[in-house]
Amino acid sequence: MAADVVMPQMGESIFEGTITKWLKKPGDKVERDEPLFEISTDKVDAEIPSPSAGVLKEIKVKEGQTVPINTVVATIDAAGSAASASAPAAAPAPAPAKAEAPKPAPTPAPAQQPAASKPGPVPVPSAPQQAAAAAAAPAKEGSRIHSSPLVRRMAKEHGIDLSSVPGTGAGGRISKQDIEAAIAGGGAGESAAEPAYSAPAQGTQAPRPAVVPPPPTAPAAPSAAGHGTQYIPSLQTGVPRERLYFGDYEVEPLSTMRLKIAEHMVASKHVSPHVYSVDEIDMSKIAALRAKSKDEFEKEYGAKLTFMPFFVKAAVAGLRAFPQLNSSLDGTSVVRHKEINVGIAVALDWGLIVPVIKNADEKNILGIQRTMNDLAERARSKKLRPEEVQESTFSITNPGVFGGLFGLPVISQPNVGILGLGAIEKRPVVINDSIAIRSMCYVTLSYDHRVVDGAIAHQFLHKVKETLENWSSPLV
């Protein structure tokens, strides 16, 4: 008996997914709950287990395809039916011969009649006409528009009315591909008679006509090494952009995760005016405490003690003292979060993800370390749930673990701040007019100047510095 494998719903706000890799081939035996394929969504990458044991009979959705949730992506034959399934598969082979034998003549006849009555080529509507016709269907007054937060944000940034965008997703939902097509077409619902540049929505910047030349006929990307000028559509906007290829080169498309990272980073830079502040922290006291306690800590609790939980606790202290940094901006309103949920950037071999420590202010060093270890391990094995990368109110990234002196990170939306940690290393500093060797660390704060001013940012950093340099809290 065959069992359908469907695209799962990985969260309330997720209505589609992209299959990035099949882990099995047709004909392979699979066990129940064995990883079958990998997907990528707006929120998280994950491995999807097989719903039943048996033999993978057919793959219906190829790698790289994006489909709505509950779409059948493959079928599995129940265990033990592989042999019986192959026999019936061979038996129907002669059936097409039977079906082909009585070829009725009337089938081509209707196709010839219209041709005789209407000589000449059949006019095909142009792409703008097709888009306008498709867009006319969903534009119902007062009807609810189904779309994800990402789609709504992209529409807002480009001044596009979602009510005029045709939705191709489940239940008429507007997918990311739909809004990207609308953006590339200069806005949905635009008829051929309308001007190419309509008035932008309030609060958006009017596009300059000179920036949007007509798309060239040159190929989007070369297929082999060569030399010359190519036009590549820029990310999100679809505006042609000149790029020079020369010498020997390879062209590799961005992975699904890299595309999503690119979209989020471009959106963050577009939305938030970034300002950066830097401070230096003497980590000698923390370094001595960690060196003294790490062996016993690992032996007793089964977790390695790192520096990160100390930075999380110090950031929590700073957010409590200056809640402006624990907020989000919604239009012209500031949302001050009561919970403190800290996102921790985790570097993966194939990209970057930011799992979230929920209610970090309620956890001690041991609780934070265990939570971080669990989230990082499951991020690397693609076992994170979508809700575990959502609802952060502040973020921390640690380029110092790779030896970086410090970094200027991009804010993770919708946060208004992100703390960057540099490498902890010994260097000479002046203390009480004497030169001493201390374990020092540069920290940077990237913040959204729409909500946070420099005075608040530096006071926040000073609170973080003061907490770490005068550490007195127990580890458990």
Side-chain angles (χ1 to χ4, degrees), residues 430-445:
V430 177
I431 299 177
N432 296 329
D433 293 334
S434 298
I435 296 177
I437 303 298
R438 291 287 187 270
S439 296
M440 304 299 293
C441 174
Y442 288 110
V443 294
T444 58
L445 178 67

Side-chain angles (χ1 to χ4, degrees), residues 6 65 73 81-82 90 109 180 278 304 324 333 338 366 371 375 377 419 428 442 462:
V6 301
Q65 280 189 266
V73 299
S81 65
E180 286 175 343
V278 184
K304 290 185 177 180
Q324 294 94 325
S333 302
K338 300 297 183 183
L366 174 61
T371 303
L375 291 172
E377 181 180 346
L419 188 68
Y442 288 110
H462 182 74

Side-chain angles (χ1 to χ4, degrees), residues 216 218-221 229-233 240-243 245:
T229 300
Q230 298 287 341
Y231 288 88
I232 307 298
R241 178 164 55 91
E242 185 177 349
R243 177 175 295 174
Y245 293 87

Side-chain angles (χ1 to χ4, degrees), residues 280-284 287 307 400 403-406 422-429 437-442:
E280 189 176 23
I281 300 176
D282 186 348
M283 294 291 292
S284 300
F307 285 102
L405 191 61
F406 64 85
I424 299 173
E425 54 185 20
K426 290 185 176 181
R427 52 178 174 262
V429 294
I437 303 298
R438 291 287 187 270
S439 296
M440 304 299 293
C441 174
Y442 288 110

Side-chain angles (χ1 to χ4, degrees), residues 97-237:
K98 278 188 177 182
E100 287 177 13
K103 273 190 179 177
T107 305
Q112 292 174 357
Q113 283 178 351
S117 60
K118 293 184 180 180
V122 179
V124 179
S126 64
Q129 289 172 334
Q130 290 175 341
K140 291 183 179 180
E141 193 71 28
S143 62
R144 184 181 176 187
I145 300 172
H146 299 278
S147 61
S148 68
L150 173 63
V151 167
R152 291 194 292 273
R153 189 185 72 230
M154 292 172 67
K156 184 177 180 182
E157 289 171 6
H158 293 276
I160 290 178
D161 182 7
L162 284 178
S163 65
S164 63
V165 178
T168 60
R173 185 175 186 82
I174 300 173
S175 67
K176 188 177 71 174
Q177 287 77 13
D178 297 332
I179 191 66
E180 286 175 343
I183 293 169
E190 181 181 74
S191 67
E194 290 177 337
Y197 303 98
S198 57
Q202 186 176 2
T204 62
Q205 184 178 0
R208 296 183 180 181
V211 178
V212 190
T217 57
S223 58
H227 176 81
T229 300
Q230 298 287 341
Y231 288 88
I232 307 298
S234 62
L235 186 67
Q236 285 192 338
T237 63

